[in-house]
Amino acid sequence: MVGVDGSPAALDAVRWAAAEAVPRKLLLRLVHAADVVAGRFDGSLPPPQSFFDELQRAGQELLAEAADVAGEAGARTVSTEMPFEPAAPLLLELSRDARMIVLGSSGRGGFTGMLAGSTAVAVSAHASCPVAVVRGRAEPGGPVVAGVDGSPTSERALAVAFDEAAWREVPLVAVHAWSDAGFGVPLPTPDFDWAEVEREQRLMLSERLAGWCERYPEVRVERVVVRDRPRDELLARSRAAQLVVVGSRGRGGFRGLVLGSTSQALIHHADCPVLVVRPG
C-alpha cells in the first residue's frame, strides 16, 4: 500500500513499491487521503459541495498519475482509492490488511509534513505492518542491512531482513552497534577488559542469527559488531545498501528507536530506503 499525494517523493515510493510487488505477485494499492478539514475551514459552516467536487477531481488526477507510474514500473494489478479522511488514522486502519506501507520521504496535500511531524511517528510506531520510507538511492546489488540489539522487536525485524535479502538474492549485513553509554556496561576502570565486553556482544549477535541462518542457508551474512552509536553505524552502512531494516522499538543502543534520535536520523538522512518493523 502506497500513500499518494502528488509529490515527486510519493511517485518515487510508487516506483519502489511496484518493483517490490511485481516479482512477489502482490496487489499494489494506491491510497490518497483526501483530508476535508486540513485547516481549510474553521468548522462554523460546512464546506460547499463545490469544494468536495474539486477535492475529488484533484485526488483522482493524482491517483491516475500514480497508477500510470506503477504501470510503467511493471505493475499490472493496481487498485486506487480516495477516502475522505485524515492521513494518519487512514493509514493505520488500512495497515491491518497490508503487507507493507510505503511512503515517500516528503509530501504535500493529505500527507503534508509526514516525515517532520506526528503522522510519520504515528504510522511508524503504530501501524500493523512494516512501514517503508523511500528515500535516497537503493544501491543496485547492495546488501540488506539489519539493526540487531537482542530485543523482541529486533528479532522480528531480523526475520523480515532475512526474507528481504533472500528475495533480492543479496547478502545481509547484521549490525550490532553497542555503546558503553546506556548499554549496561559498567564505568571503565584502568584495567577494564573491553575485549571481554566485545566478545559478549559478538556472542549475543551469533545467538540471534543462528536460527535464521539455518532457515535461510542461501543468504550470506556479514556480522558487524562495533562500539558506536547505532544511528551512526546504520547511516554509514546505508550508503552502500539497498535497504535498511530496523525494529520500531529496541533496547540498549536502539532504545526509543521510532520516537528518538535514531529513527529520526534514519528517516531523514539514510542514503537508501528504510523499513521499520513492528512486533507481531
Side-chain angles (χ1 to χ4, degrees), residues 1-193:
M1 182 174 66
V2 189
V4 176
D5 63 4
S7 67
L11 295 181
D12 288 341
V14 171
R15 293 185 187 94
W16 187 88
E20 297 299 313
V22 170
R24 307 181 197 211
K25 297 180 173 58
L26 296 175
L27 169 69
L28 187 63
R29 190 176 182 183
L30 308 179
V31 180
H32 174 63
D35 193 345
V36 177
V37 291
R40 295 184 181 91
F41 296 91
D42 60 9
S44 59
L45 293 173
Q49 183 59 43
S50 59
F51 166 76
F52 290 98
D53 294 341
E54 176 59 24
L55 197 63
Q56 185 170 28
R57 183 199 63 77
Q60 289 174 343
E61 288 184 358
L62 296 180
L63 288 171
E65 180 185 19
D68 289 342
V69 169
E72 293 170 0
R76 295 293 176 265
T77 309
V78 181
S79 71
T80 61
E81 55 190 283
M82 186 181 62
F84 285 78
E85 298 179 32
L90 172 64
L91 290 172
L92 293 176
E93 176 66 25
L94 297 180
S95 72
R96 298 176 182 176
D97 299 321
R99 176 167 182 147
M100 181 186 297
I101 294 177
V102 183
L103 304 173
S105 59
S106 59
R108 67 186 185 193
F111 294 86
T112 297
M114 182 169 57
L115 296 180
S118 60
T119 303
V121 173
V123 174
S124 297
H126 302 294
S128 300
C129 66
V131 178
V133 178
V134 178
R135 56 164 298 104
R137 176 178 177 270
E139 187 66 28
V144 171
V145 175
V148 183
D149 71 352
S151 67
T153 307
S154 170
E155 187 74 8
R156 172 62 179 157
L158 193 56
V160 173
F162 265 97
D163 189 60
E164 293 295 328
W167 267 103
R168 290 168 165 78
E169 298 182 339
V170 298
L172 172 68
V173 179
V175 177
H176 175 51
W178 61 280
S179 172
D180 52 324
F183 200 80
V185 176
L187 292 175
T189 60
D191 60 346
F192 190 81
D193 190 353

Side-chain angles (χ1 to χ4, degrees), residues 266-280:
L266 290 169
I267 289 175
H268 288 291
H269 303 296
D271 289 320
C272 71
V274 177
L275 183 59
V276 179
V277 181
R278 280 181 41 77

